[in-house]
Amino acid sequence: NSPFILFNKKRIELLNSNEHNLKVEPLSDNFLYWLIGFTEGDGSFVVNHRNELSFILIQGELNKNILYKIKKILGFGRVIKQGPRVYRFICGKHSEIELIILLFNGNIVLPSRKIQFHKFLTSFNSLRMTKNPIKYISILVHIGPSLNNTWILGFTEAEGCFTISFLSNSVAFRTRFILTQKYDINLPILSKCIEVFDGGKIEGHSAKEVYNYIVSGLKNIEIIYPYFDKYLNDFKGVKLDSYKKFKILNNLIKKKVHLNLNRREELRNMSNEINSYSRKIK
């Protein structure tokens, strides 16, 4: 029942044609769901002014290893340094673009990404020397948000954060899980997280057409643990460390360790480490 059968078949054919004697295995659904979620947060389907197509993922210095992992697992594409602290994974070859299209066609969740991908596929078909263009599929299976696949995890590694802060003038604290997304058209998908996690709320951001799904509070935050614990081994980047420390610190707060003045600075330093991941990965 995997929606990735055709992609896996074509990928194996491509890699076997490039590397004789290379044993190529199908990629797991967990990785591919994750990659779709990550791409919908941080990826681009690009058609430039010369009508050249490329698939791009961009990350900052702190999280550059996530791009190398994607390249290694996929078996194609390349990672290049784009600036002093910016890296990108890029696919531009015709055969690679075709694989990317087979992976995402019918499996994209966010409406804004569907529009971008549709234009990308239309451009590909116009350039392709064949009488058999790839037909655009709006949706093949509804893959997310759901607790039963890694789409939310991938999207979180791109657009989510685990954050804890302590007020300097009191013993108060704030613990939150946040998913951020642009555009009004995507709001129904983001809102579905309330149903999926059975909690949380949507808040508008100060920036226009930007929204946050937020789970806050020590007791409420526990609703996200079963999902992320289930897919702990499927994290690919620095958000794994952030999530682990987030759980540890919440547990210490639950035990009221933050009320101990001798430990409060230690906990504040830990919260700064957790929050720094969100600030530095882009």
Side-chain angles (χ1 to χ4, degrees), residues 216-241:
S216 62
L218 203 57
K219 183 174 178 60
N220 294 334
I221 207 70
E222 293 182 0
I223 65 174
I224 72 169
Y225 290 168
Y227 173 78
F228 288 107
D229 288 347
K230 178 181 178 181
Y231 294 114
L232 201 64
N233 293 330
D234 293 292
F235 274 88
K236 297 290 183 290
V238 295
K239 292 282 175 68
L240 174 59
D241 287 335

Side-chain angles (χ1 to χ4, degrees), residues 3-4 6-7 36 45 98-108 114 117-118 121 125 133-141:
F4 309 120
L6 182 57
F7 164 80
I36 291 170
F45 303 98
E98 183 173 15
L99 282 176
I100 292 298
I101 287 172
L102 292 176
L103 172 59
F104 285 92
N105 196 20
N107 296 319
I108 294 178
K114 288 184 180 182
F117 177 79
H118 194 184
L121 176 53
N125 284 333
I134 300 175
K135 183 180 178 181
Y136 170 71
I137 304 170
S138 176
I139 189 159
L140 185 63
V141 291

